[in-house]
Amino acid sequence: MSKRVTIRDIARMAGVSVTTVSQVLNGKGKRFSKTTRERIMKLRDQYQYVPDFHARSLIMRENINTIGVLVPNVSEAFFGSFVEGVQQVARQEKLIPLIFSANRDPKLEKHYLEQMVERSIDGLIIASARMTTEMINQALINRDIPYILFDRNYDQEGARVQTDDYHGGQLAARHLVELGHQKFLYLGVKNITENFKQRLAGFKSVLLAHGRHFDEEKDVLRADLSCRGGYEAARAVAASGATAVFAANDEMAIGLLRGLRELKVRVPEDISVIGYDDISLDEYVYPKLTTIHQPIFDLGVGATKILLDRIHNQHRDETVESFPVRLVCRESTGPCHMV
């Protein structure tokens, strides 16, 4: 057979019902003769039959939940860890997670969201900073599909998991102030979203409270949110005169470390660098990167558990679960004994 073999094909060739084939293949066919069981298993192996989960759900009356996860870019270490957290719960709860990476393209995000809705998905985890509640609800019109927002859009209404980005910015500034720095630079993103606004606002508040000068017009440098973006910003960072740089995320900070090293700028002797997220690469770059830790894996776990609650309890109140952030001091800012 050139086409995909279905359970009906197996049943026809074995001379039994579809229900008999389904029960035998799912280990529930002891009431059938050994000859019948062996005939079905032989046909399965011969034609390399793979079950259709939707058909199986109908036949066996099983509830096989499928959830969709929409992230900006799964190739980024941050979202990779987030998805791992989602997958851990999915394995435990026998969910089928469908991961969609939109490469930060708003049109692609909208397309993927519509595709998930068309496929009767049971729930959604949406980590897009550009997707507003209004846009999501419009896509879900006349469909009662629960969804969870990730912290990048925590200014929107709805159930979500989030961290305190404002406090994270404060922690970064306090650490650099305690190390004695006087001139600071914030390496931010070109397309600023609420979480990055909060990091900058928290950073600025501590600097001003400690009598440090910080002017957003002069002391904020914007680049692409990537290692490449940080790398390409290195020359401007070196020329700024700043002795301490707070990067919007770790990937930017890692790219910056590489660029500064090529320019013969020493870290932390000439410039201290601190990132945000605490991705796994931080301990393998030189110097090891000081950062603000977000429990990325736990965010994925938490988002999936809340979504499961909403799938099974449709009228539950909107849930907001906050996760703590903390400073992780390493080599890129120098001594840590003052923290």
Side-chain angles (χ1 to χ4, degrees):
M1 293 184 181
S2 58
K3 66 181 183 68
R4 176 180 174 178
V5 173
T6 68
I7 192 170
R8 288 179 175 81
D9 294 326
I10 298 294
R12 177 177 52 78
M13 289 184 286
V16 298
S17 70
V18 170
T19 301
T20 299
V21 174
S22 179
Q23 291 182 351
V24 169
L25 294 181
N26 284 284
K28 301 175 181 179
K30 290 184 179 180
R31 65 189 181 92
F32 301 110
S33 69
K34 181 180 178 182
T35 301
T36 296
R37 295 198 305 268
E38 289 179 348
R39 185 163 65 250
I40 291 170
M41 299 304 284
K42 183 178 180 180
L43 287 167
R44 181 202 64 178
D45 295 341
Q46 180 179 349
Y47 293 101
Q48 298 180 336
Y49 168 72
V50 177
D52 182 316
F53 281 98
H54 292 289
R56 173 184 167 186
S57 178
L58 290 172
I59 295 167
M60 301 298 292
R61 289 183 169 82
E62 294 177 346
N63 184 23
I64 303 174
N65 289 325
T66 304
I67 62 171
V69 185
L70 180 61
V71 298
N73 193 338
V74 76
S75 67
E76 293 179 12
F78 179 91
F79 288 108
S81 295
F82 177 78
V83 167
E84 286 178 359
V86 173
Q87 290 177 324
Q88 174 171 288
V89 178
R91 285 194 298 271
Q92 294 170 349
E93 301 296 330
K94 297 183 179 178
L95 298 172
I96 303 172
L98 303 179
I99 314 300
F100 294 85
S101 177
N103 198 29
R104 304 189 183 280
D105 183 338
K107 291 183 179 179
L108 192 55
E109 287 180 346
K110 184 174 182 293
H111 170 72
Y112 282 151
L113 182 59
E114 291 171 349
Q115 289 296 308
M116 286 188 280
V117 171
E118 287 181 8
R119 282 159 175 74
S120 300
I121 209 155
D122 293 286
L124 293 163
I125 298 174
I126 301 173
S128 164
R130 297 178 177 86
M131 277 278 181
T132 64
T133 303
E134 182 180 358
M135 293 167 62
I136 296 167
N137 289 337
Q138 185 177 4
L140 301 181
I141 192 166
N142 298 325
R143 290 178 172 88
D144 192 16
I145 301 176
Y147 63 86
I148 302 298
L149 301 176
F150 188 39
D151 67 340
R152 292 199 165 207
N153 44 19
Y154 64 74
D155 57 328
Q156 299 293 325
E157 296 180 358
R160 70 177 59 78
V161 290
Q162 64 185 33
T163 58
D164 191 342
D165 290 291
Y166 187 88
H167 181 54
Q170 289 180 311
L171 291 175
R174 192 172 297 129
H175 174 54
L176 297 174
V177 166
E178 290 175 345
L179 291 174
H181 291 283
Q182 298 293 325
K183 185 166 175 53
F184 304 84
L185 185 70
Y186 176 75
L187 181 58
V189 297
K190 293 178 179 178
N191 298 316
I192 190 167
T193 53
E194 186 62 28
N195 59 327
F196 294 120
K197 289 179 184 177
Q198 291 297 318
R199 291 175 197 181
L200 174 57
F203 185 68
K204 180 179 177 180
S205 71
V206 169
L207 297 185
L208 297 182
H210 285 80
R212 303 304 203 270
H213 176 78
F214 189 83
D215 182 345
E216 287 192 39
E217 293 295 323
K218 299 178 180 178
D219 299 323
V220 175
L221 180 65
R222 302 201 185 279
D224 290 333
L225 187 65
S226 63
C227 290
R228 170 62 64 177
Y231 175 78
E232 292 178 346
R235 193 169 297 278
V237 170
S240 70
T243 62
V245 180
F246 175 34
N249 78 349
D250 285 345
E251 293 207 8
M252 296 182 81
I254 289 170
L256 177 61
L257 290 178
R258 168 71 181 272
L260 292 175
R261 184 173 179 82
E262 291 183 3
L263 294 171
K264 310 299 183 186
V265 177
R266 301 172 300 167
V267 178
E269 293 84 358
D270 300 323
I271 297 180
S272 286
V273 176
I274 183 170
Y276 204 104
D277 286 339
D278 196 22
I279 62 177
S280 58
L281 288 176
D282 291 353
E283 291 197 272
Y284 298 95
V285 296
Y286 181 81
K288 295 179 182 178
L289 182 64
T290 295
T291 190
I292 304 301
H293 171 85
Q294 292 197 85
I296 309 168
F297 182 88
D298 293 341
L299 285 165
V301 169
T304 312
K305 288 183 176 179
I306 293 174
L307 181 60
L308 276 173
D309 281 343
R310 293 182 63 75
I311 289 173
H312 299 302
N313 302 287
Q314 291 285 326
H315 302 294
R316 184 184 174 119
D317 293 337
E318 303 296 355
T319 302
V320 177
E321 185 171 353
S322 297
F323 291 77
V325 296
R326 60 183 171 84
L327 173 71
V328 176
C329 189
R330 299 190 180 99
E331 299 168 353
S332 66
T333 53
C336 295
H337 65 276
M338 299 180 69
V339 180

